[in-house]
Amino acid sequence: MNCSTFLSLVLALVQLQLCSPTTQIFSAQKTDQSYTTIRRVKRGWVWEPLFVTEEETSTMPMYVGQLKSDLDKEDGSLQYILTGEGADSIFFINEHGKIYVRQKLDREKKSFYILRAQVINRKTRHPIEPDSEFIIKVRDINDHEPQFLDGPYVATVPEMSPEGTSVTQVTATDGDDPSYGNNARLLYSLIQGQPYFSVEPKTGVIRMTSQMDRETKDQYLVVIQAKDMVGQAGAFSATATVTINLSDVNDNPPKFQQRLYYLNVSEEAPVGTTVGRLLAEDSDIGENAAMNYFIEEDSSDVFGIITDRETQEGIIILKKRVDYESKRKHSVRVKAVNRYIDDRFLKEGPFEDITIVQISVVDADEPPVFTLESYVMEIAEGVVSGSLVGTVSARDLDNDDSSVRYSIVQGLHLKRLFSINEHNGTIITTEPLDREKASWHNITVTATETRNPEKISEANVYIQVLDVNDHAPEFSKYYETFVCENAVPGQLIQNISAVDKDDSAENHRFYFSLAQATNSSHFTVKDNQDNTAGIFTAGSGFSRKEQFYFFLPILILDNGSPPLTSTNTLTVTVCDCDTEVNTLYCRYGAFLYSIGLSTEALVAVLACLLILLVFFLAIIGIRQQRKKTLFSEKVEEFRENIVRYDDEGGGEEDTEAFDISALRTRAVLRTHKPRKKITTEIHSLYRQSLQVGPDSAIFRQFISEKLEEANTDPSVPPYDSLQTYAFEGTGSLAGSLSSLGSNTSDVDQNYEYLVGWGPPFKQLAGMYTSQRSTRD
């Protein structure tokens, strides 16, 4: 074995010796002489926790326990070191391994501390034992009172609830340690609230001990006490107040305060009048007190009752008019029933009540009453004036001896047709009636008390005018009937029908036949037995040249009593038709013949009209083309400033009214120059004229002169005024076409250059050239 191998074995043995559990023996001793020892396991040492009681009042520092190594020979060669939570600040260890606490501890702030212990050689500073971790727990004392954090409490429980019903639960908390001793173990008790409530000692659940009636008392105050340490001597306690409200249940039926009520109603009261109000009282509240009112079926049907849902009153209303003379008292049975029923309390009895209401009818002066609400009368049309239509009748129920006066109050036009006898109510006609104008007449008749004219009643009278067969039948419409020249015998050319203005009680029935006439040999009439008839050809060989129209008389007979007849003429037009008998062509040909034109003539007329239209459009096109040619040049090339001067002057004697020199240009009079390239020169001069503006020296000079004139003018007002001038500048550099201000005569000028300006100036050039040649 070499040296290195031997050294490795020695180090391994030393390491094994240091790590061996047999060499680590620590002990901890408590002040109460109970020891905490370590127990050996395979991989290390596990410490039982050390304890220190919080808030100890003994002298500080206070001994907690001791750590000691078996290697400690108590010669002072070993040193114990304490590290971890609170080491040196809260806990410290002396040279003998005893652990002390420096200050009072509060378990509610921190319940345990984790520390590490180490043993080293004082000289070499090498560890003798490996460091070991242990825990110091703070042992609780009863230093906190119970607290009701959720108070004050409010609870609601239905009234009449059975015994043992849970009302609510109160919970108190204690800051002490619930896992150690009885410091945090609470006990609940009832201080106030007997004999109606109880509380469970451990849970704090409040329960009912008897049934309670909300109508007697609806609120209770219960005081609950919580004690820690299970109520032992020296325990802390706290109280909480619980407000318990009893909610309502429907355990009371409605009750009328009276068994008999008296009400009055006037016989003048209209339907829907409120006769009175009833109230059945209910000790419950809210929807439990809601009720509905009914009138029993065996009572009078003159009155009804509705429920006012806000006031819970029954409102008796009038369903039919009452009559003092017929019945002066009515008796009704009114029932009040709870709207919502609680089945639990049905054994107490029905939740309803009944009372009797006596209603007296108060007499009033009423208007006359017609024997009928409305009258229906009949009269034949065409009867003579003064014919009887019918009679209305009314009487005063208050006093049978009182007379009644009748009158018609509808429009004035009805009074011209009918009148009424004011004493007996007889209605007669004032002129003959025509059913075809109006088959019904509606009038309103009034009856007025003679002794009290304010009492008036009305009745409607419907008069039907009965029909009399006084209108003969006639064609239902105007017929356009055509027949072709090539028509064959027996060909249908027209269906006809008839109408009658009369109103037959039965269905109208019309009979058609052909009256005797010269045209009867050409046509026949066939009655279809359904109020229509067909017109047929009786022969052939119709010719427009010989006879263009046929007038066919048709005889129509109705089934009235007595029957009436009429003759209606049917005009039949002969037309030139093709083989398919084209009706439109027939109508077209009939129109031509009616105006005396043939087809060839009409074509010629249309051709002439077309030629005239084309000629007219050509003329309009030529004129438009000429306008475009005359003004094809751009407008910008021909501009002229026109200045209008409105000065009336003073007549012949006024020589100073207008000075024509004001129109003369300030520029030097232009001299005649031969004009070349007229268009280009005008464009150049136009652009130069646009440069004259407010920044021009000429413009500023003009403003200065006008300002000086305004300042020196004695006629101007003595205050600032706005002066407006229209300044035209020096004019165009191209000069003016006007002869004003020119010092040369027209003879000295050559106007031939105007010809080059285009067609618009051609005539002007010719005028001046002709004048010059004449003068020469």
Side-chain angles (χ1 to χ4, degrees):
M1 183 179 298
N2 54 22
C3 181
S4 60
T5 303
F6 177 77
L7 183 59
S8 299
L9 290 174
V10 171
L11 291 175
L13 291 174
V14 171
Q15 185 177 5
L16 181 61
Q17 180 68 22
L18 290 175
C19 296
S20 175
T22 58
T23 61
Q24 301 181 25
I25 305 219
F26 284 83
S27 64
Q29 185 179 9
K30 292 191 58 179
T31 56
D32 55 1
Q33 303 302 321
S34 62
Y35 294 91
T36 301
T37 60
I38 57 173
R39 48 191 176 89
R40 183 162 30 183
V41 295
K42 185 176 181 180
R43 295 187 178 181
W45 298 94
V46 179
W47 287 83
E48 295 292 342
L50 300 178
F51 293 93
V52 58
T53 303
E54 66 170 337
E55 302 292 342
E56 284 285 0
T57 58
S58 59
T59 306
M60 292 296 168
M62 183 179 65
Y63 175 73
V64 178
Q66 182 177 6
L67 301 178
K68 188 174 182 180
S69 174
D70 289 344
L71 300 178
D72 188 2
K73 299 179 180 181
E74 297 183 359
D75 57 357
S77 61
L78 299 181
Q79 181 182 355
Y80 294 92
I81 299 175
L82 193 64
T83 60
E85 295 178 342
D88 294 335
S89 61
I90 300 176
F91 304 98
F92 71 92
I93 190 170
N94 64 8
E95 59 184 3
H96 302 293
K98 293 183 177 182
I99 301 173
Y100 295 88
V101 60
R102 297 179 183 271
Q103 61 188 27
K104 293 181 179 181
L105 302 180
D106 189 354
R107 188 200 64 82
E108 283 70 37
K109 294 182 179 179
K110 189 172 180 62
S111 60
F112 64 91
Y113 297 85
I114 301 175
L115 300 170
R116 300 187 69 84
Q118 188 178 15
V119 181
I120 64 173
N121 188 289
R122 288 182 182 273
K123 294 181 179 181
T124 63
R125 310 303 294 177
H126 290 159
I128 302 302
E129 303 280 1
D131 56 349
S132 179
E133 182 178 275
F134 64 96
I135 297 174
I136 299 178
K137 288 189 175 182
V138 181
R139 181 165 290 169
D140 182 53
I141 64 172
N142 190 19
D143 58 347
H144 286 82
E145 298 178 352
Q147 291 183 343
F148 290 94
L149 301 179
D150 297 330
Y153 295 88
V154 178
T156 302
V157 62
E159 64 171 332
M160 307 304 292
S161 296
E163 296 182 8
T165 300
S166 175
V167 179
T168 186
Q169 183 179 13
V170 295
T171 303
T173 59
D174 195 314
D176 294 324
D177 188 3
S179 62
Y180 178 75
N182 296 324
N183 295 338
R185 293 181 63 185
L186 303 178
L187 188 68
Y188 299 95
S189 61
L190 189 66
I191 303 299
Q192 177 181 327
Q194 298 90 352
Y196 307 107
F197 302 95
S198 64
V199 62
E200 294 181 357
K202 294 182 179 181
T203 62
V205 175
I206 302 174
R207 297 185 181 276
M208 298 182 66
T209 58
S210 63
Q211 285 188 335
M212 289 173 286
D213 188 4
R214 186 201 65 83
E215 286 73 33
T216 303
K217 186 177 182 180
D218 61 353
Q219 189 178 81
Y220 295 85
L221 295 179
V222 177
V223 178
I224 303 297
Q225 183 185 61
K227 276 188 177 183
D228 60 10
M229 295 183 67
V230 201
Q232 298 176 2
F236 294 107
S237 65
T239 59
T241 300
V242 183
T243 302
I244 301 177
N245 297 312
L246 297 182
S247 61
D248 185 59
V249 296
N250 191 10
D251 58 341
N252 293 281
K255 292 290 183 182
F256 286 106
Q257 298 302 307
Q258 300 175 213
R259 295 292 93 187
L260 183 62
Y261 292 86
Y262 296 95
L263 298 175
N264 297 321
V265 61
S266 173
E267 64 175 339
E268 289 184 322
V271 173
T273 300
T274 298
V275 180
R277 288 174 174 259
L278 302 178
L279 177 62
E281 296 183 354
D282 194 321
S283 300
D284 299 319
I285 59 175
E287 66 176 17
N288 294 323
M291 64 190 74
N292 293 323
Y293 294 87
F294 304 94
I295 292 180
E296 293 191 342
E297 296 180 357
D298 57 349
S299 299
S300 172
D301 60 350
V302 179
F303 301 94
I305 191 168
I306 59 176
T307 304
D308 188 336
R309 291 181 175 264
E310 293 185 0
T311 63
Q312 299 303 319
E313 292 179 308
I315 304 173
I316 298 178
I317 60 173
L318 188 63
K319 293 172 58 178
K320 294 182 179 180
R321 295 289 296 268
V322 291
D323 186 10
Y324 176 82
E325 288 72 23
S326 300
K327 189 174 183 179
R328 300 185 180 185
K329 285 187 179 181
H330 297 267
S331 179
V332 295
R333 291 169 56 88
V334 178
K335 179 190 296 184
V337 181
N338 271 139
R339 192 174 304 153
Y340 307 102
I341 304 297
D342 193 335
D343 296 337
R344 296 176 299 171
F345 305 102
L346 285 177
K347 59 184 180 181
E348 303 292 336
F351 283 78
E352 62 184 39
D353 196 19
I354 297 177
T355 189
I356 298 176
V357 181
Q358 292 281 356
I359 302 175
S360 300
V361 180
V362 179
D363 186 25
D365 188 7
E366 299 175 281
V369 177
F370 282 94
T371 55
L372 297 176
E373 293 183 358
S374 61
Y375 295 84
V376 178
M377 302 178 182
E378 297 179 349
I379 188 172
E381 67 173 329
V383 296
V384 297
S385 300
S387 298
L388 176 64
V389 179
T391 303
V392 297
S393 176
R395 65 187 182 92
D396 187 0
L397 300 179
D398 297 321
N399 187 353
D400 293 337
D401 297 334
S402 177
S403 60
V404 176
R405 186 175 66 253
Y406 300 95
S407 62
I408 297 177
V409 296
Q410 200 63 17
L412 295 176
H413 66 288
L414 293 175
K415 287 188 176 181
R416 292 196 298 268
L417 297 177
F418 305 96
S419 65
I420 190 171
N421 188 306
E422 65 175 6
H423 300 293
N424 57 22
T426 301
I427 301 174
I428 60 175
T429 61
T430 57
E431 62 181 53
L433 303 177
D434 187 358
R435 190 206 63 84
E436 284 67 38
K437 292 183 179 179
S439 59
W440 283 89
H441 296 278
N442 303 334
I443 63 175
T444 300
V445 177
T446 63
T448 306
E449 285 187 11
T450 305
R451 59 184 178 86
N452 187 1
E454 294 182 356
K455 299 300 178 179
I456 303 174
S457 59
E458 296 181 350
N460 293 323
V461 179
Y462 305 99
I463 302 174
Q464 182 181 15
V465 181
L466 301 178
D467 183 51
V468 175
N469 191 20
D470 56 350
H471 289 83
E474 58 186 3
F475 281 151
S476 60
K477 64 178 182 178
Y478 173 76
Y479 293 101
E480 291 181 333
T481 306
F482 305 94
V483 62
C484 295
E485 288 181 318
N486 54 356
V488 297
Q491 180 177 338
L492 176 66
I493 62 173
Q494 184 69 61
N495 277 319
I496 60 175
S497 62
V499 293
D500 193 334
K501 294 181 180 179
D502 293 322
D503 184 17
S504 176
E506 302 176 356
N507 293 331
H508 278 294
R509 181 70 177 88
F510 301 108
Y511 304 94
F512 301 88
S513 61
L514 185 64
Q516 296 296 327
T518 58
N519 297 323
S520 60
S521 61
H522 295 83
F523 303 96
T524 61
V525 176
K526 180 182 179 182
D527 195 330
N528 298 325
Q529 304 298 319
D530 59 355
N531 291 341
T532 64
I535 309 299
F536 294 86
T537 58
S540 60
F542 295 96
S543 175
R544 290 183 298 167
K545 295 181 180 180
E546 296 179 1
Q547 187 172 354
F548 188 70
Y549 293 107
F550 289 91
F551 300 100
L552 192 63
I554 307 296
L555 182 66
I556 306 175
L557 173 68
D558 64 12
N559 62 338
S561 179
L564 296 180
T565 61
S566 66
T567 301
N568 297 264
T569 302
L570 182 67
T571 302
V572 182
T573 305
V574 181
C575 298
D576 184 11
C577 304
D578 55 13
T579 56
E580 297 180 357
V581 191
N582 193 325
T583 304
L584 294 178
Y585 180 75
C586 280
R587 293 181 179 178
Y588 170 69
F591 171 73
L592 295 180
Y593 275 96
S594 64
I595 61 177
L597 291 176
S598 64
T599 304
E600 295 78 4
L602 181 62
V603 173
V605 171
L606 293 176
C608 293
L609 291 176
L610 181 61
I611 293 173
L612 291 176
L613 179 62
V614 172
F615 181 73
F616 179 73
L617 294 176
I619 293 176
I620 294 177
I622 293 173
R623 288 185 178 179
Q624 294 293 335
Q625 186 65 27
R626 287 182 179 179
K627 289 183 180 180
K628 292 181 180 180
T629 304
L630 292 176
F631 299 99
S632 60
E633 294 84 354
K634 294 183 179 180
V635 180
E636 288 80 358
E637 296 182 1
F638 306 101
R639 291 181 177 269
E640 182 177 5
N641 293 329
I642 300 176
V643 181
R644 178 178 179 180
Y645 300 92
D646 294 330
D647 195 340
E648 296 183 359
E652 295 180 355
E653 297 179 357
D654 186 2
T655 59
E656 298 180 357
F658 188 82
D659 187 5
I660 197 171
S661 63
L663 298 177
R664 299 182 182 275
T665 178
R666 294 177 180 270
V668 180
L669 296 176
R670 61 182 175 85
T671 59
H672 171 69
K673 295 182 180 180
R675 304 215 173 192
K676 299 178 180 180
K677 298 181 180 180
I678 301 300
T679 304
T680 304
E681 183 177 357
I682 289 177
H683 276 291
S684 176
L685 294 178
Y686 174 69
R687 287 193 298 269
Q688 294 179 16
S689 65
L690 294 177
Q691 297 176 358
V692 179
D695 295 334
S696 174
I698 298 175
F699 184 84
R700 290 196 295 272
Q701 181 181 357
F702 173 78
I703 294 300
S704 298
E705 292 176 357
K706 294 300 181 181
L707 181 61
E708 183 64 24
E709 291 178 4
N711 290 335
T712 58
D713 189 358
S715 62
V716 298
Y719 48 80
D720 293 340
S721 61
L722 176 65
Q723 302 291 332
T724 303
Y725 303 100
F727 178 68
E728 299 181 8
T730 59
S732 174
L733 297 179
S736 173
L737 294 178
S738 175
S739 61
L740 298 177
S742 176
N743 57 356
T744 60
S745 65
D746 293 337
V747 180
D748 299 332
Q749 299 185 29
N750 183 9
Y751 294 97
E752 294 180 355
Y753 63 87
L754 294 175
V755 179
W757 284 18
F761 296 92
K762 184 176 181 181
Q763 185 177 0
L764 181 63
M767 292 171 59
Y768 277 92
T769 303
S770 60
Q771 291 179 4
R772 180 178 179 183
S773 61
T774 303
R775 291 171 183 172
D776 294 341

